[in-house]
């Protein structure tokens, strides 16, 4: 089981993680939460239903990683498509941010449940619902790291440049995390696929 998810009875999944892997995953999830930003909580005395109808931003984020997490719906080829994308963003981005925050929080909480990990590590067991949160968060982490590293499709292939980085390259630790997250994501997807 070490290094990859395996299916558990009832539709969940489990993976053996050592304390360094737990720390890395938790740190990355917390950084993702910081990048996404806090949720919009109603102010004291404000109608909580008003938050349901609050409009989000109409402009794409300026940070390339956030722009990758919250992409344009229709592109920006012409004025009409830009207006349609702005309208779509206004009514969907807040909900999408909330979902991404919930996914990352689920990762942090499930890792925190392994608080007393022995030096040899622990087995993380996820419910089906937790698996879906983890899939979303692993995907968001890979998109964010890939954007920061400026990863292209050619870089990711088995013969791609990501696999040939010298140890002296300062990007190497993040590339290794990126590839590891991809392997975790792939095995988690495989556990959720019907036989």
């Amino acid at each position: 089981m070490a290094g990859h998810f395996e299916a558990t009875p009832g539709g969940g999944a489990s993976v053996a993680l050592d304390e360094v892997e737990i720390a890395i995953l938790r740190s990355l999830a917390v950084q993702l939460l910081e990048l996404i930003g806090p949720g919009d909580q109603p102010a004291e005395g404000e109608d909580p239903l008003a938050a349901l109808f609050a409009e989000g931003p109409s402009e794409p984020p300026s940070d390339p990683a956030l722009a990758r997490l919250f992409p344009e719906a229709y592109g920006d080829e012409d004025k009409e498509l830009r207006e349609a994308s702005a309208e779509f963003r206004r009514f969907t981005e807040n909900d999408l941010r909330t979902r991404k925050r919930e996914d990352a929080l689920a990762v942090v909480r499930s890792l925190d449940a392994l608080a007393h990990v022995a030096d040899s590590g622990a087995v993380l067991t996820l419910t089906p619902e937790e698996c879906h949160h983890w899939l979303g968060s692993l995907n968001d982490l890979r998109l964010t790291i890939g954007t920061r590293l400026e990863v292209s499709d050619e870089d990711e292939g088995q013969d791609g440049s990501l696999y040939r980085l010298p140890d002296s390259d300062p990007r190497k630790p993040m590339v290794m995390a990126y590839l590891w997250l991809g392997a975790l994501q792939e095995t988690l997807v495989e556990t959720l696929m019907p036989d």
Side-chain angles (χ1 to χ4, degrees):
M1 180 186 330
H4 65 278
F5 279 96
E6 291 184 1
T8 59
S14 63
V15 62
L17 299 169
D18 64 33
E19 67 181 320
V20 172
E21 292 168 329
I22 292 168
I24 290 169
L25 282 167
R26 190 182 189 290
S27 174
L28 290 172
V30 168
Q31 290 176 55
L32 181 62
L33 283 165
E34 291 170 357
L35 178 67
I36 293 168
D40 295 328
Q41 300 297 322
E44 190 174 320
E46 184 181 6
D47 179 7
L49 290 177
L52 291 174
F53 300 104
E55 293 182 6
S58 59
E59 295 296 318
S62 58
D63 181 317
L66 281 174
R68 185 71 176 103
L69 291 175
F70 305 104
E72 291 285 27
Y74 304 110
D76 59 1
E77 290 81 36
D78 63 33
K79 184 179 181 208
E80 202 171 290
L81 288 177
R82 282 191 301 276
E83 289 173 358
S85 283
E87 189 77 359
F88 185 80
R89 181 178 298 282
R90 240 178 65 216
F91 293 109
T92 61
E93 187 169 314
N94 286 346
D95 289 341
L96 186 56
R97 280 182 185 267
T98 297
R99 187 183 55 77
K100 290 179 180 300
R101 242 187 318 282
E102 288 170 357
D103 289 346
L105 277 169
V107 169
V108 171
R109 287 179 182 134
S110 60
L111 292 170
D112 285 351
L114 301 176
H116 303 291
V117 175
D119 290 338
S120 60
V123 175
L124 173 70
T125 302
L126 303 174
T127 66
E129 181 181 352
E130 289 170 326
C131 287
H132 290 283
H133 287 299
W134 268 74
L135 274 178
S137 198
L138 288 171
N139 187 60
D140 291 343
L141 287 168
R142 283 184 39 83
L143 287 172
T144 302
I145 294 170
T147 301
R148 295 282 191 242
L149 293 171
E150 298 178 352
V151 173
S152 68
D153 290 341
E154 294 79 37
D155 295 331
E156 282 199 70
Q158 288 293 346
D159 297 328
S161 62
L162 289 181
Y163 294 91
R164 295 189 309 258
L165 280 179
D167 290 342
S168 60
D169 191 310
R171 299 172 300 158
K172 182 85 177 214
M174 285 313 295
V175 166
M176 297 305 294
Y178 176 82
L179 295 172
W180 175 56
L181 291 170
L184 284 175
Q185 183 181 18
E186 184 177 339
T187 61
L188 184 52
V189 167
E190 289 170 0
T191 67
L192 299 176
M193 299 293 282
D195 290 335

